[in-house]
Amino acid sequence: MVEFALPKNSKISGGKTWPKPAGATETREFRVYRWNPDDGKNPSVDTYYVDTHDCGPMVLDGLIWIKNHVDPTLTFRRSCREGVCGSCAMNIDGQNTLACTKSMHDVGAGGAVKVNPLPHQPVVKDLVPDLTNFYAQYASIEPWLKTTTPTTAKGMEAEPRGPREARRSLRVHPVRLLLDLVPELLVEQRTLPRPRRLLQATRWVTDSRDEATGERLDNLEDPFRLYRCHTIMNCAKACPKGLNPSEAIAELKFKMVERQI
Amino acid sequence: MSGPSSMRTPLERVRGLGSAHTGTSDFWRQRLTAVAMTLLIVPVIVVVIMLIGRNHAGAAQILGSIPIAIILLLFIVASTWHMKIGMQVVIEDYIHNEKLKIASVMANNFFCVAVALASIYAILKLSSGV
Amino acid sequence: MIVFGYTWALMHHLCSGIRHFVWDLGYGFKANEREALTWGALIAGISLTVLVWIIAYAVGGGR
Ligand code: SF4
Ligand code: FES
């Protein structure tokens, strides 16, 4: 059945309040999820105070400040610090978003900034989720060009498209493909096919050079894959990059009907 | 990520038993019945309002009209079919125990067919004046 | 009262269904359009419910 409660060993209990930074004129309270796989304890929420005059404006700046000045054991992922890589995806004040593009002044209405790891996946430590399943899902859509016609020396050129299509075909560039990994992380997912995976699948289904469109659609047509999406739009709302998986999914569903009716 | 499946690779776990290659027909039928009911809703409401407060004989007289009986019958077929697909989606969403899920889907099918047949029988009985 | 609630449930389902139909056809995905459609469905559902009941009383009020 549906699980409404957390398993016993995931219940949050207690937590430590760290002292306010000495000499700070203005501080901001951070409540951060902590869990250490090595000490055998349940997760807890620690309270920190960040000196806002000594720290950048983003939630990620706050976390880095805590790590540098208060508690070096605090663990989280970050890399680009500009909303490109997706490493810092976490749940801030109930919203899955990127810590590096979320201003701490926009959340918590002046109260505490609540920081939790992304939901629905195992935690490795503190704010770091286990992404094994995420990468496996990405691999399962076979995100590469499939053709049987031999490629000419010139290579294969994509058909010119309208602006939206063009944006999608841009992602053929390998770097862009990596960037594309970003947003999937942010979506609440319980069942197998997460929105971004379907969005990514749409990108390959609509690629004019790909010769495996039918196979790709076959692979998606399943009550628990494509059709587990009920167009709730949470994904479109959560996306910090302004992408819209719901729209891509509607396109896939339309194609399914198109090839049957 | 524990139990007997933990020896499987992540990709194998994601692929699971593979795609069922179905789902589009239910998706299509759900839209088909929805559009049918959207078209039928106005006449159905009119009929229901006409029926308010009538006694058995009055109701039988209204339902004796063939177009009215047919509109209601069409609405019953569309709505129970729509109900069956919709409830199945809810079951698939929230019941994750395989056996319980199969039992629930079965019960849902029985229930929807029973509701449909009972309603159709009632309409036919009234409209034929037996 | 219960029947009133049921009418509303039905009408809300109808209007939301139309909203999802629009999405199925590939329209109305922008953030402002999404919000408008959702609020529109809610309000249309309530208005239709009230409308149906007014008509029902006007027509069948005597009985
Ligand atoms: S649509 Fe946006 S939030 Fe959703 S998976 Fe894609 S990038 Fe992430
Ligand atoms: S650090 Fe790269 S997206 Fe936030």
Side-chain angles (χ1 to χ4, degrees):
Chain A
M1 287 296 281
V2 210
E3 283 171 31
F4 291 108
L6 286 168
K8 254 210 183 86
N9 62 359
S10 300
K11 290 238 167 63
I12 292 172
S13 62
K16 174 171 175 188
T17 302
W18 298 73
K20 291 197 181 189
T25 47
E26 217 180 310
T27 58
R28 186 72 197 269
E29 186 180 345
F30 271 62
R31 296 223 183 111
V32 185
Y33 179 100
R34 302 299 309 276
W35 182 70
N36 183 345
D38 300 326
D39 65 8
K41 292 203 203 107
N42 271 22
S44 61
V45 172
D46 279 8
T47 306
Y48 300 96
Y49 294 91
V50 168
D51 180 351
T52 42
H53 291 295
D54 185 36
C55 170
M58 301 302 175
V59 174
L60 182 65
D61 296 324
L63 293 173
I64 293 174
W65 194 91
I66 293 169
K67 195 172 172 69
N68 288 343
H69 295 89
V70 187
D71 177 7
T73 67
L74 179 62
T75 311
F76 51 90
R77 288 194 182 104
R78 87 274 177 275
S79 172
C80 70
R81 61 99 187 92
E82 56 185 18
V84 171
C85 68
S87 312
C88 66
M90 52 187 76
N91 187 291
I92 298 167
D93 257 356
Q95 266 252 341
N96 296 347
T97 186
L98 301 171
C100 65
T101 55
K102 193 81 186 167
S103 163
M104 62 174 98
H105 307 295
D106 290 347
V107 292
V113 180
K114 299 195 195 82
V115 189
N116 284 290
L118 286 178
H120 306 295
Q121 41 221 333
V123 173
V124 177
K125 187 177 184 220
D126 294 347
L127 300 172
V128 178
D130 180 354
L131 299 180
T132 313
N133 191 43
F134 159 74
Y135 287 112
Q137 295 208 348
Y138 186 46
S140 79
I141 62 158
E142 310 189 338
W144 52 82
L145 197 61
K146 292 202 222 176
T147 57
T148 26
T149 312
T151 319
T152 61
K154 201 169 148 250
M156 291 184 100
E157 277 179 45
E159 235 168 54
R161 310 156 183 228
R164 200 177 102 217
E165 301 293 305
R167 234 188 302 134
R168 236 184 237 146
S169 66
L170 262 183
R171 300 199 201 124
V172 180
H173 193 284
V175 177
R176 288 298 302 230
L177 264 182
L178 283 176
L179 306 192
D180 236 20
L181 287 171
V182 179
E184 158 99 339
L185 299 174
L186 308 166
V187 181
E188 204 185 311
Q189 15 65 17
R190 185 171 56 76
T191 44
L192 282 182
R194 305 189 229 159
R196 205 213 53 98
R197 173 175 156 205
L198 292 168
L199 176 74
Q200 186 59 286
T202 319
R203 178 246 169 280
W204 292 103
V205 164
T206 53
D207 191 302
S208 61
R209 302 158 307 168
D210 194 83
E211 295 177 343
T213 307
E215 258 169 60
R216 292 182 189 281
L217 289 180
D218 283 348
N219 192 34
L220 291 170
E221 186 183 2
D222 183 298
F224 294 92
R225 292 186 180 181
L226 178 60
Y227 292 109
R228 199 66 356 215
C229 164
H230 310 320
T231 326
I232 308 294
M233 300 273 193
N234 262 350
C235 52
K237 199 171 169 203
C239 180
K241 307 295 283 181
L243 300 181
N244 196 327
S246 308
E247 190 173 8
I249 291 168
E251 202 176 326
L252 283 179
K253 287 178 180 165
F254 199 91
K255 280 194 173 12
M256 292 289 182
V257 173
E258 197 182 326
R259 71 174 189 166
Q260 272 194 19
I261 308 287
Chain B
M1 282 205 198
S2 56
S5 65
S6 57
M7 291 298 283
R8 295 170 187 271
T9 65
L11 182 60
E12 164 63 8
R13 252 182 273 135
V14 164
R15 286 192 178 153
L17 301 175
S19 166
H21 299 315
T22 61
T24 306
S25 54
D26 269 359
F27 174 84
W28 168 252
R29 276 182 206 132
Q30 194 68 335
R31 269 73 191 161
L32 192 72
T33 51
V35 173
M37 281 190 288
T38 310
L39 298 175
L40 288 168
I41 190 75
V42 173
V44 166
I45 288 178
V46 170
V47 173
V48 170
I49 290 177
M50 278 161 63
L51 286 171
I52 294 172
R54 305 257 178 191
N55 59 17
H56 185 274
Q61 191 198 355
I62 292 173
L63 294 178
S65 143
I66 289 178
I68 289 182
I70 289 189
I71 284 172
L72 289 185
L73 289 175
L74 285 173
F75 194 80
I76 288 166
V77 172
S79 59
T80 48
W81 205 346
H82 194 84
M83 172 168 91
K84 188 234 129 189
I85 301 172
M87 272 313 294
Q88 181 159 342
V89 167
V90 175
I91 291 168
E92 289 165 348
D93 272 347
Y94 292 108
I95 301 187
H96 300 148
N97 174 311
E98 280 309 314
K99 285 179 184 141
L100 188 59
K101 184 171 79 188
I102 288 173
S104 315
V105 169
M106 250 190 196
N108 177 44
N109 275 288
F110 292 159
F111 178 75
C112 295
V113 171
V115 169
L117 284 186
S119 317
I120 290 172
Y121 177 75
I123 301 278
L124 289 181
K125 186 161 190 256
L126 273 171
S127 68
S128 62
V130 198
Chain C
M1 199 59 211
I2 291 171
V3 185
F4 185 85
Y6 181 70
T7 319
W8 181 36
L10 206 68
M11 288 300 149
H12 184 73
H13 195 83
L14 172 73
C15 296
S16 289
I18 293 172
R19 166 171 66 111
H20 271 91
F21 199 69
V22 173
W23 285 335
D24 285 339
L25 293 175
Y27 304 106
F29 278 101
K30 287 201 213 83
N32 55 344
E33 296 169 343
R34 277 187 334 244
E35 295 287 314
L37 279 169
T38 306
W39 282 106
L42 183 65
I43 293 163
I46 296 171
S47 330
L48 275 177
T49 311
V50 173
L51 190 72
V52 165
W53 277 77
I54 290 175
I55 295 176
Y57 268 99
V59 177
R63 274 180 257 128

